Amino acid sequence: MLIGIPKEIKNNENRVAITPAGVVSLSNNGHRIKVEKDAGLASGFTNEEYRFAGAEIEERAEDVWASEMVMKVKEPLASEYRYFRPGLILFAYLHLAAEPALAKALTESEVTAIAYETVEVGRALPLLTPMSEVAGRMSVQIGAQFLEKPYGGKGILLGGVPGAKRGKVTIIGGGVVGTNAAKIAVGLGADVTIVDLSADRLRQLDDIFGSRLNTLMSNPMNIAEAVAESDLVIGAVLIPGAKAPKLVTERMIESMKPGSVVVDVAIDQGGIIETVDRITTHDDPTFVKHGVLHYAVANMPGAVPRTSTIALTNATVPYAVQIANKGVRQAALSNPALAMGVNTAAGRVTYKAVAADLGYDHVAFDEALALAARPA
Ligand SMILES: NC(=O)C1=CN([C@@H]2O[C@H](COP(=O)(O)OP(=O)(O)OC[C@H]3O[C@@H](n4cnc5c(N)ncnc54)[C@H](O)[C@@H]3O)[C@@H](O)[C@H]2O)C=CC1
Ligand SMILES: CC(=O)C(=O)O
């Protein structure tokens, strides 16, 4: 199969969808890889390294997009929709429930789109996990920075010092992002509370962190109380594939002290904080509402691309090899994890939560992939 790797064009998206090691894995399986010139530079991978690994370097994005399968990190932006065509396989983060225009473009162009974030093994999301680990760890580091006075914050050191109180951090959602945020916040010495809907998850967190972490059942009253007292709130809830529920209301934000900070990591699925009404960028990451700093960058790991590209491609490349070796239909039929990743095919929406949130009929993946495989 011919596989294309475009250079990412989203604001400060410095990751790339393959490393030279990934090129070797795919070409050892008999596939041809085209990498757009300089696509890996920001992650520290040169054109020469890709060439040495067996890739062809292409000057023009359109020549890369002409491949049978395109692997990307972030969802295509509107300027890239012109490359869509029937039968194109797109393997990337898509977050379609929060991207209706992209869902429309993919279905209208009959692209077979496989979303990293909905590939599922058991209840785990192996292609989301590495970036959730990165974003979870970053969320506290970023929150701590914006709590500093020169960045507009209230001037709190999360760990405090002897004789001065520690800062309070509330993390809503105790999955991968939440657990990684808790590790860093606890490590800094903050007073940390984690909120989740799953009692079993709260038990596991209690076993891991013991008395260094407060656990709270997710309900509007508990969230309101925890948010009001917090210096830093982190949004880390996910209902796979679906638009995120608005769990932190505008009134809760109004109850926070001026200079407090909220980091809505779940913004890629629409965000859990009602006052987060826009996605921000690494260039201009925050805005202030009711005196509270809001951070809502949807590609947080793009700021630490060396770590993120390696962690992401460690997870994605084995799946890319399966798609390239077997074709998307056989790969999905033989691997239920990949089948869960198929979001659109042959103009149909094949992921239930996306169809429900965006008002499409849901069509089973195998039915849609059979249509996609039929000659025109
Ligand atoms: N902004 C960015 O750059 C990045 C964003 N993310 C996003 O972060 C979000 C979280 O991802 P993960 O931690 O990997 O998901 P996860 O599935 O590991 O964890 C989600 C947690 O939310 C909990 N939950 C569900 N409903 C809840 C409710 N009503 N109240 C409290 N908790 C609830 C679940 O029980 C689960 O523990 C996702 O939207 C993901 O796409 C991930 C990486 C980078
Ligand atoms: C998960 C995701 O969308 C990201 O890492 O950018």
Side-chain angles (χ1 to χ4, degrees), residues 57 143 147 169 199 304 319 323:
I57 300 296
L147 279 168
V169 178
V304 288
Y319 288 92
I323 299 169

Side-chain angles (χ1 to χ4, degrees), residues 13 15 73-75 93 95 128 131 268 298-301:
E13 186 44 79
R15 290 170 287 179
V73 178
K74 289 308 281 185
E75 73 283 349
Y93 285 122
H95 305 290
L128 181 61
M131 296 304 95
D268 55 356
N299 61 332
M300 293 168 66

Side-chain angles (χ1 to χ4, degrees), residues 66-297:
S67 306
E68 292 163 88
M69 170 159 75
V70 165
M71 280 181 80
K72 272 184 62 48
V73 178
K74 289 308 281 185
E75 73 283 349
L77 300 187
S79 63
E80 294 170 309
Y81 295 177
R82 67 195 148 111
Y83 303 127
F84 293 173
R85 59 188 191 277
L88 169 68
I89 302 166
L90 175 65
F91 192 32
Y93 285 122
L94 296 174
H95 305 290
L96 291 185
E99 294 282 345
L102 175 59
K104 186 166 181 275
L106 291 171
T107 49
E108 282 179 358
S109 312
E110 302 188 16
V111 172
T112 300
I114 306 162
Y116 291 162
E117 73 277 5
T118 65
V119 170
E120 189 169 335
V121 180
R123 298 191 62 191
L125 304 168
L127 307 193
L128 181 61
T129 294
M131 296 304 95
S132 291
E133 290 167 337
V134 171
R137 290 175 187 215
M138 284 178 78
S139 65
V140 175
Q141 168 174 321
I142 286 163
Q145 183 190 30
F146 284 107
L147 279 168
E148 292 175 16
K149 206 73 191 170
Y151 289 94
K154 56 164 68 154
I156 291 266
L157 181 65
L158 280 179
V161 287
K165 278 186 186 165
R166 301 181 292 155
K168 288 201 176 192
V169 178
T170 295
I171 301 162
I172 305 175
V176 180
V177 168
T179 306
N180 280 275
K183 276 187 188 163
I184 302 300
V186 165
L188 285 178
D191 177 356
V192 188
T193 298
I194 204 156
V195 181
D196 203 287
L197 201 55
S198 157
D200 284 341
R201 185 64 199 144
L202 293 177
R203 277 186 199 103
Q204 286 166 350
L205 289 164
D206 187 71
D207 284 344
I208 298 167
F209 290 98
S211 58
R212 293 173 302 154
L213 181 75
N214 311 300
T215 57
L216 260 189
M217 178 51 69
S218 178
N219 63 48
M221 206 167 143
N222 280 346
I223 293 176
E225 281 175 16
V227 167
E229 291 176 353
S230 293
D231 301 300
L232 171 61
V233 172
I234 294 169
V237 163
L238 175 67
I239 298 160
K243 212 157 164 39
K246 297 288 177 204
L247 300 176
V248 178
T249 63
E250 182 152 14
R251 285 188 66 176
M252 295 181 196
I253 294 293
E254 281 170 347
S255 74
M256 296 179 82
K257 295 215 173 76
S260 301
V261 176
V262 294
V263 175
D264 201 351
V265 183
I267 187 63
D268 55 356
Q269 293 289 145
I272 68 155
I273 296 173
E274 196 176 38
T275 42
V276 174
D277 55 5
R278 71 197 87 152
I279 294 176
T280 60
T281 62
H282 287 291
D283 276 347
D284 189 11
T286 58
F287 61 90
V288 177
K289 241 183 188 172
H290 303 303
V292 174
L293 268 87
H294 291 59
Y295 177 100
V297 174

Side-chain angles (χ1 to χ4, degrees), residues 32 105 109 161 309 344:
R32 237 178 105 196
S109 312
V161 287
T309 290
T344 70

